């Protein structure tokens, strides 16, 4: 049907193409500035509007953990299915797990802000009827004990998988349980009486989509600097197809949750949806759908678009923004308790912190990984 | 004849045992300036499209077009039928309940896209039920890989045949008939796909107009459900076709005894009997508050429609609409009647229009109504403080 | 099938020793066959008289079908009262069987569409039979709601057709109507997909036909197929597009089936996890059924070289993975019921595990969560008789899953005065037996009438297994 259209490797003798190390050098200074500025803004936010600052810290910690898990999950899937097509082009997913310890530390910092964020951690929780059934599970010591256990499991299994290529099936098992608990604990419990069984799968769909977007960006950048030999358009096509498929998967899970809650219309359940569908949150609710599903669907529908690097990069950027918005919409409305959405010092600080920490934690591992061609990790 | 002869003699086929050999042969033939008409293989040979110089199919576009059509039909029809033609609110959902329309919209999109692309494929590839299979070469559906080509100018067939066998051909021969004359199909061009869609348009319009005409299937036995939609059922306020006088509620047959077993009244209808009742029947009930209250309830439910709530003929039904006026209950004539006579009228009917209520009201209620009527009369006789006597 | 995806598989940078581990270098078809040999072996059974075993088998399945026909006759003539339903449990056996059969069907589409898109080339030997299984399973599924209508001849009332009752349309907000659309679309598209896949093989069958009427019939159905590369080129595009359309379709079908329950407000039914959980369960049960059928068919029809133990092993891995997903979903549901603090939710789940239907619940857990765990052992994954037993267990377990979800959520209503127990009557069991009769009868006919293996696809992967 079609030729294997191989894209010629960049002529590295041509001037003006930076090496990976040069890019790293340039980014390093920026990363420090980002982290410093991020912390400063978050602390500033703590004085202006503490609940927003804490919420953004939660968002940062959770999303960094998700980036790490996304890398691990890709790695384990690749290892379990023995997929070979992806290994030459996917590199970033080995570096992404380095974020897990960082995210764990940030998550533990929430100990000091738990009572601001979580209704069950407030002193008056015991007197709230709706929370009675849950306090056995949701109380500050047990909650942070679970945080420690969950992160230890992730870091341990992740290390085994990323460094030694072992235990991919075991990781998936551990991941299924711990990721469910993490979503329920850290995000779902922000709402005092709400619960949704699909919630963790919804979180997973966003997490995995973001993971694919990140490795796609890294694959394209690596090809631009000439570090992936013999990358073909067909491999871009594969990445495009994955992005397209998982964007649809995200929409499917979103619809499953939304449609069922909307349809049954049970007051305890409609809480968060009702908040989002009214007032100033409503445009953001629709924007979330557009960023995570609408735009990627339209952009990547054509076959040509799936092989076009500019389109892929644009889609990935949109998806990363969409992921942030998706988390923002899960965290903020319950924390602000009916307040209006806003983008201020703490939001900016959270985003800067994510970018800065992301670079600082992952880049060294990435550099080490990319240069020597790594072997495919072995399944057990 | 000579022209056809030369044309026929210029076409040949070569068959191979392996796909790779076929691929080489096709590349070789094209490079040597022959025109490769087609290849016939038991499975799609990878790389053959490039070797033959075929362009990628445009069927994905047809698929997208059909998908969009399906989506438009599904959304349009659901909104029209649920919100415009038959706006029925169910489940507390809005009439245009977009989330609830998503599943059916999705299914119809997929259905039309799938069927549409298959139909387009059949059209552009000339696939249709046939008794005679065109261009059928022996073994092409089993284990032979066959190329059919037209000789280039000034190349004799034996030369080509030799080349083919050096490339591994098991057999090569000239084709003596003109079955390989293949004109480029109209349906392969963009205009063809467009025409196909336009050709489908009347059927879509037809389906649409049938929907709009749905109220014209009313005539019995022509409708699709055998007339079950137009049943022979009684409508409210229709007169009964089988019961006497068209009334559903019939009087009990003569001589019927009440189940409550009170003795039958020893009176018949008629004015004389009424007067006798006035003489012989006293009201068995004392004017207590309880009896009065019951009488009021019955009066207001049954009697007030004609006689008016105050007994002043200001009833809601008859007088207000300009029909006859009943006997004025508060008039001196009725005031002077004995209870027994009023009871007789309430039971058997009055001298003018009033029907008897013996079947509808119990004997006790009739007596209690009389107690209430007496109170109305007393109230009406009381002088009105401000106004003068009429 | 040589589609453009073949070129995507990157350079073989897998070390030699590890390649075998993933099965990359192993041939997909054993026996080093020639193209002609494939044709002979695939089409041979359709041209010979069936063996005695086949006649015995079909007489059994036809008897089962007759039992079902009797049950349907009883239901239609005497009414739904012949079933064990009561006012509290208004949905039970029929909907259980409906969901069961729809789920069985899903594996066929998964194999033909999703594995095709994922370039799992081992699917070529089993996709034809699996797709046939899908179509037959959807037919079995469709009979249950139609019989439950009581007047099956009025089933067309469920479709939006212009009628003489004034402006009266079906309720597009009802999940039951979504079902009508989902199941019929699924059936039509699956049938189309199957037929498109069959075209080249019908042509082969036509060219091998020995009697005139057979040749004529096959000529009509093979639509003048002559193996032209111009047609093949478009054929591959269409096949790819249909696979792309079927993939979301198959997900949507069981999603919509799950919404029959999940859009309600009944504890135990209203759970947002239902859509993906039902889809995973459907794939789970479907693959188990494919395994059951294939293990018997490869033995009976001597197709061991086409459906190798490696095929079986790949399928057991899918069963294991989806089984774990289903198990996780059970756990999530249980946990969330406790976590929600809603006493009704909590009660429903406790009642499932400890109430009068606890036996069904633990049957479900045992068959669906525990039995697939044996597939962790390679020995089990590669021993057909062990797979056969476990796959049958999975089928039983998935039937009980639907039974548990449906009956235990209903049978204890909010008011204890409305509590009731449900027991199927013999008529209901007869219809269920009949559906198996229908399924296996159609499958047996299929194995003798049409090529059970997609010969054109198998030939495509015969020589170049490691493309």
């Amino acid at each position: 049907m079609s030729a294997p259209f191989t894209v010629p490797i960049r002529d590295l003798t041509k001037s003006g193409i930076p090496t990976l190390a040069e890019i790293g050098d340039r980014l390093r200074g920026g990363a420090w500035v980002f982290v410093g500025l991020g912390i400063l803004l978050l602390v500033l936010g703590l004085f202006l509007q503490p609940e927003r600052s804490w919420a953004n810290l939660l968002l940062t910690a959770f999303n960094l953990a998700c980036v790490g898990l996304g890398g691990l999950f890709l790695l384990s899937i690749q290892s379990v299915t023995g997929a070979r097509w992806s290994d030459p082009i996917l590199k970033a997913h080995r570096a992404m797990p380095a974020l897990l310890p960082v995210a764990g530390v940030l998550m533990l910092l929430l100990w000091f802000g738990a009572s601001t964020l979580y209704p069950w951690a407030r002193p008056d929780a015991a007197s709230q009827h709706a929370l009675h059934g849950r306090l056995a599970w949701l109380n500050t010591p047990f909650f942070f004990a679970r945080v420690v256990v969950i992160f230890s499991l992730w870091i341990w299994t992740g290390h085994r998988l990323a460094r030694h290529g072992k235990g991919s099936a075991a990781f998936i098992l551990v991941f299924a349980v711990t990721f469910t608990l993490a979503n329920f604990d850290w995000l779902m419990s922000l709402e005092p009486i709400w619960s949704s069984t699909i919630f963790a799968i919804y979180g997973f769909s966003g997490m995995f989509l973001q993971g694919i977007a990140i490795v796609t960006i890294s694959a394209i950048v690596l090809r631009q600097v000439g570090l992936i030999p013999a990358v073909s358009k067909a491999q871009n096509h594969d990445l495009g197809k994955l992005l397209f498929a998982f964007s649809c998967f995200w929409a499917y899970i979103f619809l499953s949750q939304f449609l069922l809650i909307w349809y049954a219309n049970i007051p305890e359940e409609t809480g968060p949806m009702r908040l989002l569908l009214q007032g100033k949150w409503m445009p953001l609710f629709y924007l979330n759908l557009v960023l995570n599903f609408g735009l990627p669907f339209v952009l990547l529908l054509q076959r040509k678009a799936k092989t076009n690097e500019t389109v892929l990069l644009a889609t990935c950027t949109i998806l990363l923004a969409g992921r942030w918005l998706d988390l923002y919409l899960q965290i903020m409305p319950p924390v602000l308790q009916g307040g209006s959405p806003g983008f201020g010092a703490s939001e900016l600080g959270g985003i800067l912190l994510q970018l800065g920490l992301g670079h600082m934690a992952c880049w060294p591992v990435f550099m080490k990984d990319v240069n020597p061609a790594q072997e495919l990790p072995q399944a057990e | 004849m000579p022209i056809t002869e030369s044309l026929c003699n210029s076409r040949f086929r070569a068959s191979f045992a392996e796909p790779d050999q076929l691929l080489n042969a096709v590349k070789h033939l094209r490079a040597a300036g022959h025109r490769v008409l087609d290849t016939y293989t038991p499975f799609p040979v990878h790389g053959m499209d490039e070797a033959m110089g075929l362009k990628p199919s445009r069927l994905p576009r047809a698929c997208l077009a059909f998908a969009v059509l399906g989506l438009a039909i599904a959304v349009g029809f659901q909104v029209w039928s649920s919100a415009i033609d038959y706006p029925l609110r169910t489940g507390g959902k809005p009439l245009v309940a977009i989330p609830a329309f998503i599943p059916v919209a999705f299914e119809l999109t997929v259905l039309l896209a799938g069927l549409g692309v298959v139909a387009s494929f059949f059209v552009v590839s000339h696939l249709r039920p046939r008794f005679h299979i065109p261009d059928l070469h022996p073994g092409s559906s089993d284990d032979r890989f066959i190329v059919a080509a037209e000789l280039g100018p000034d190349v004799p067939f034996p030369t080509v045949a030799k080349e083919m066998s050096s490339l591994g051909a098991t057999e090569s021969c000239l084709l003596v008939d003109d079955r390989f004359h293949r004109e480029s199909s109209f349906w392969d061009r963009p205009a063809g796909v467009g025409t196909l869609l336009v050709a489908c348009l009347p059927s879509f319009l037809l389906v649409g107009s049938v929907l709009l005409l749905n109220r014209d299937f009313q005539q019995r036995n022509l409708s699709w459900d055998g007339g079950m939609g137009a049943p022979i059922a009684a409508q409210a306020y229709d007169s009964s076709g089988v019961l006497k006088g068209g009334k559903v509620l019939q009087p009990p047959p003569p001589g019927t005894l009440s189940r409550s077993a009170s003795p039958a009244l020893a009176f018949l209808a008629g004015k004389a009997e009424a007067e006798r009742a006035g003489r012989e029947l006293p009201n068995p009930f004392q004017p207590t508050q309880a009896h009065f209250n019951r009488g009021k309830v019955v009066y207001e439910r049954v009697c007030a429609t004609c006689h008016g709530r105050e007994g002043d003929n200001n009833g809601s039904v008859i007088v207000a609409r300009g029909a006859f006026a009943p006997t004025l209950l508060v008039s001196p004539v009725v005031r002077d009647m004995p209870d027994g006579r009023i009871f007789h009228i309430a039971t058997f009917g009055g001298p003018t229009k009033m029907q008897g209520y013996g079947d509808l009201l119990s004997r006790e209620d009739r007596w209690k109504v009389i107690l209430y009527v007496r109170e109305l009369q007393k109230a009406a006789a009381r002088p009105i403080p401000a106004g003068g006597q009429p | 099938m040589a589609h453009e995806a073949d070129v995507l598989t990157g350079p073989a940078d897998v070390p030699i020793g590890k390649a075998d581990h993933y099965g990359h270098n192993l041939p997909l078809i054993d026996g080093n066959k020639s193209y002609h040999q494939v044709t002979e072996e695939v089409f041979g059974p359709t041209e010979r008289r069936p063996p005695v075993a086949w006649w015995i088998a079909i007489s059994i399945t036809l008897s089962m079908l007759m039992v079902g026909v009797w049950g349907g006759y009883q239901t239609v003539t005497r009414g739904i009262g012949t079933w064990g339903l009561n006012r509290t449990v208004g949905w039970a056996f029929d909907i259980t069987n409906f969901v069961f059969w729809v789920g069985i069907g899903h594996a066929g589409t998964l194999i033909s569409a999703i594995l095709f898109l994922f370039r799992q080339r081992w699917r070529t030997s089993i996709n034809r039979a699996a797709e046939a299984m899908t179509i037959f399973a959807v037919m079995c599924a469709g009979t249950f709601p139609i019989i439950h209508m009581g007047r099956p001849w009025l089933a067309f009332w469920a479709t939006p057709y212009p009628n003489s009752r004034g402006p009266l349309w079906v309720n597009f907000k009802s999940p039951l109507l979504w079902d009508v659309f989902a199941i019929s679309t699924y059936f039509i598209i699956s049938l189309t997909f199957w037929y498109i896949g069959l075209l080249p093989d019908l042509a082969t069958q036509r060219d091998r036909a020995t009697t005139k009427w057979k040749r004529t019939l096959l000529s009509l159905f093979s639509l003048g197929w002559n193996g032209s590369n111009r047609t093949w080129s478009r054929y591959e595009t269409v096949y790819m597009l249909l696979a792309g359309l079927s993939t979301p379709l198959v997900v949507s079908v069981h999603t919509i089936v799950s919404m029959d329950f999940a859009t309600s407000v009944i504890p135990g039914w209203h759970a947002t996890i239902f859509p993906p959980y039902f889809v995973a369960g459907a794939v789970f049960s479907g693959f188990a059924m494919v395994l059951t059928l294939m293990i018997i068919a490869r033995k009976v029809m001597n197709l061991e070289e086409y459906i190798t133990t490696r095929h079986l092993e790949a399928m057991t891995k899918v069963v294991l993975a989806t089984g774990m997903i289903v198990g996780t979903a059970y756990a999530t549901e249980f946990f969330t019921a406790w976590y929600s603090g809603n006493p009704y939710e909590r009660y429903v789940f406790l009642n499932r595990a400890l109430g009068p239907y606890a036996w069904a619940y633990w049957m479900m857990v045992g068959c669906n969560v525990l039995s697939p765990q044996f597939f962790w052992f390679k020995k089990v994954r590669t021993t057909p008789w062990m797979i056969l037993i476990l796959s049958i267990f999975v089928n039983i377990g998935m039937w009980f899953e639907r039974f548990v979800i449906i009956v235990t959520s209903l049978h204890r209503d909010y008011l204890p005065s409305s509590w009731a127990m449900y027991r199927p009557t013999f008529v209901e069991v007869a219809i269920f037996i009949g559906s198996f009769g229908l399924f296996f009868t159609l499958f047996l006919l299929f194995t003798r009438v049409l090529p059970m293996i997609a010969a054109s696809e198998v030939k495509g992967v015969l020589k170049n297994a490691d493309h």
Side-chain angles (χ1 to χ4, degrees), chain C residues 239-262:
Chain C
Y239 203 86
M240 179 77 97
L241 286 169
L242 280 178
L245 289 170
S246 301
T247 305
L249 177 65
V250 71
V251 173
S252 82
V253 171
H254 231 60
T255 296
I256 288 172
V257 168
S258 81
M259 284 176 181
D260 292 349
F261 308 104

Side-chain angles (χ1 to χ4, degrees), chain B residues 280-335:
Chain B
E280 294 178 7
L281 284 178
N283 195 334
F285 294 98
Q286 296 304 311
T288 62
Q289 186 66 40
H291 294 152
F292 171 77
N293 285 349
R294 175 64 192 166
K296 183 179 182 194
V297 167
V298 174
Y299 180 85
E300 288 184 350
R301 271 189 204 155
V302 180
C303 316
T305 332
C306 295
H307 288 288
R309 290 170 70 90
E310 308 289 335
D312 52 1
N313 279 6
N314 204 6
S316 59
V317 175
I318 308 288
V319 187
R321 282 172 175 71
F324 68 91
T327 307
L328 192 62
L329 286 183
V330 295
S331 66
V333 181
V334 183
R335 197 188 307 158

Side-chain angles (χ1 to χ4, degrees), chain C residues 132 140 142 212-213 239 266 281 321 395 430 456:
Chain C
C140 291
K212 187 166 166 42
W213 71 267
Y239 203 86
I266 294 172
N395 275 317
S456 64

Side-chain angles (χ1 to χ4, degrees), chain A residues 2 79 82 84 133-134 137 173 184 188-189 195-198 201 234 238 252 256 259-260 263-264 269 375 377 379, chain C residues 4 8 14 18 22 24 119 173 175 251 255 259 262-263 265 270-273 275-276 324 335-336 338-340 346:
Chain A
S2 49
S79 168
R84 288 174 302 161
R134 302 188 177 184
W137 181 258
L173 283 184
F184 281 15
M188 201 162 86
S189 76
S195 65
S196 168
T197 37
I198 205 176
I201 302 174
D238 274 0
Y252 164 64
S256 298
L259 183 63
L260 292 179
Y263 204 104
E269 274 193 354
E375 266 187 12
Chain C
E4 56 88 41
L8 304 188
V14 182
K18 286 175 186 168
Y22 297 111
H24 287 315
R119 288 181 238 130
K173 291 165 217 160
V251 173
T255 296
M259 284 176 181
T263 49
V265 294
H270 179 71
T272 48
I273 204 175
M324 299 299 284
F335 174 77
T336 317
W338 175 77
Y339 172 90
S340 74
R346 287 183 175 185

Side-chain angles (χ1 to χ4, degrees), chain B residues 36-345:
Chain B
V36 172
L37 297 166
D38 211 339
T39 58
Y40 301 89
T41 50
F43 58 85
V45 175
H46 175 59
M48 186 56 82
D49 292 354
E50 291 79 32
M52 278 175 64
L54 296 184
K55 282 188 198 136
S57 165
R58 286 191 209 89
L59 285 167
R61 277 183 232 174
C63 186
L64 184 65
F66 277 106
V68 171
L69 188 69
L71 185 67
I73 289 176
V75 171
F77 183 73
Q78 290 188 83
V79 170
W80 176 74
S81 70
S82 325
I84 298 166
D85 198 41
Y86 183 48
L88 183 69
R89 211 169 267 286
T90 51
K93 299 285 177 273
L95 290 176
V96 181
I98 291 297
F101 293 164
I102 292 175
V104 171
F106 174 80
E107 298 301 329
L108 285 183
T109 307
V110 169
L111 183 67
L112 255 78
L115 293 183
V117 75
V118 168
S120 317
F121 166 57
F122 287 168
V123 169
V124 297
S125 298
H126 309 285
L127 293 176
R128 58 175 183 270
R130 288 174 197 264
F131 290 103
H132 174 76
I133 314 298
D135 301 350
L136 187 61
H137 297 278
S140 69
S141 65
D142 181 9
D143 59 350
R144 292 294 128 172
F145 300 83
I146 294 158
V147 59
E150 201 176 75
L151 284 174
D154 310 326
V155 185
F157 174 66
T159 323
V160 181
K162 206 174 283 171
E163 283 171 13
M164 288 294 104
S165 54
S166 74
L167 285 169
T170 51
E171 175 234 356
S172 44
C173 63
L174 275 172
L175 295 166
V176 285
D177 56 28
D178 195 21
R179 286 179 308 176
F180 288 92
H181 181 63
R182 184 188 274 273
E183 287 168 344
S184 91
S185 164
F186 170 70
W187 298 106
D188 262 353
R189 293 179 222 138
V193 178
T195 312
L196 182 70
L197 287 178
V198 172
C200 291
L201 209 60
S203 60
F204 297 136
L205 288 178
L206 188 70
V207 170
S209 61
V210 165
L211 299 180
L212 290 169
L213 289 169
N214 64 344
R215 280 176 210 77
D216 289 344
F217 293 91
Q218 288 280 10
Q219 203 175 352
R220 188 159 302 179
N221 296 332
L222 288 181
S223 61
W224 296 7
D225 57 354
M228 284 193 76
I232 313 170
Q235 302 291 312
Y237 302 116
D238 275 359
S239 66
S240 163
V242 285
L243 294 170
K244 204 168 77 185
K247 287 179 184 168
V248 174
L249 195 61
Q250 294 286 316
T256 306
L257 291 181
S258 165
R259 284 179 62 114
S260 57
S262 45
L265 277 177
F267 292 92
L268 297 171
K271 195 170 180 205
E273 289 286 289
E275 281 169 1
R276 188 168 69 88
R279 286 192 301 277
E280 294 178 7
L281 284 178
N283 195 334
F285 294 98
Q286 296 304 311
T288 62
Q289 186 66 40
H291 294 152
F292 171 77
N293 285 349
R294 175 64 192 166
K296 183 179 182 194
V297 167
V298 174
Y299 180 85
E300 288 184 350
R301 271 189 204 155
V302 180
C303 316
T305 332
C306 295
H307 288 288
R309 290 170 70 90
E310 308 289 335
D312 52 1
N313 279 6
N314 204 6
S316 59
V317 175
I318 308 288
V319 187
R321 282 172 175 71
F324 68 91
T327 307
L328 192 62
L329 286 183
V330 295
S331 66
V333 181
V334 183
R335 197 188 307 158
D336 296 341
M337 279 183 186
D339 282 1
R341 181 150 182 204
I342 302 180
F343 178 79
H344 188 276
I345 293 171

Side-chain angles (χ1 to χ4, degrees), chain C residues 117-326:
Chain C
L117 295 180
F118 276 109
R119 288 181 238 130
Q120 299 290 318
R121 293 156 64 105
W122 53 269
R123 65 179 268 290
T124 49
S125 318
I126 51 170
N127 71 334
R128 169 76 41 77
E131 284 170 40
M133 190 193 79
T134 294
I135 292 162
F136 304 150
V138 175
M139 285 163 75
C140 291
T143 55
F144 286 97
I146 290 177
I147 292 180
H148 195 175
M149 286 176 182
R151 299 184 203 173
W153 53 93
L154 295 181
F156 69 98
W157 283 11
T159 59
Y161 68 100
N163 55 64
S164 58
R165 305 174 194 104
L168 176 70
W169 294 106
V170 290
N171 181 6
F172 282 105
K173 291 165 217 160
S174 161
L176 296 181
L177 188 77
W178 304 347
D179 253 2
V180 173
F181 278 86
I183 301 294
S184 39
T185 302
Y186 186 43
F187 180 69
I188 293 169
I189 293 291
S190 299
L191 196 63
T192 311
F193 200 16
W194 187 58
Y195 179 59
I196 291 289
L198 260 173
L199 271 179
D201 284 0
L202 286 176
T204 310
Q205 219 176 351
R206 171 199 70 206
D207 295 346
R208 290 170 58 90
T210 44
T211 58
K212 187 166 166 42
W213 71 267
K214 200 174 168 187
R215 189 183 157 80
T216 309
L217 196 69
L218 285 164
S219 293
L220 290 176
F221 275 102
S222 60
L223 305 182
W225 185 274
N226 57 12
S228 146
N229 189 59
R230 292 170 196 274
T231 310
W232 271 123
S233 169
R234 297 194 189 102
Y235 171 91
E236 291 194 279
T237 308
V238 168
Y239 203 86
M240 179 77 97
L241 286 169
L242 280 178
L245 289 170
S246 301
T247 305
L249 177 65
V250 71
V251 173
S252 82
V253 171
H254 231 60
T255 296
I256 288 172
V257 168
S258 81
M259 284 176 181
D260 292 349
F261 308 104
T263 49
S264 72
V265 294
I266 294 172
W269 279 12
H270 179 71
T272 48
I273 204 175
F274 261 31
Y277 155 43
F278 266 52
V279 173
V283 174
F284 182 50
S285 66
F287 264 88
M289 185 59 103
V290 176
L291 278 170
T292 313
L293 287 179
M294 291 299 128
I295 290 171
I296 298 171
R298 74 197 275 272
K299 185 82 195 156
V300 173
M301 304 183 65
N302 299 320
L303 293 173
E304 277 105 335
E305 288 171 338
Y306 292 89
I307 305 166
T308 63
T309 46
R310 292 189 297 284
H311 289 100
L312 301 182
E313 192 185 351
M315 284 194 274
T316 57
K317 284 180 182 169
V318 178
V319 169
L320 178 59
T322 46
M324 299 299 284
I325 295 176
V326 168

Side-chain angles (χ1 to χ4, degrees), chain A residues 66-89:
Chain A
C66 282
V67 173
L69 289 171
L72 279 180
F73 196 76
L74 271 168
L75 199 57
S76 58
I77 289 290
Q78 197 188 11
S79 168
V80 163
T81 57
R84 288 174 302 161
W85 65 271
S86 52
D87 211 49
I89 47 170

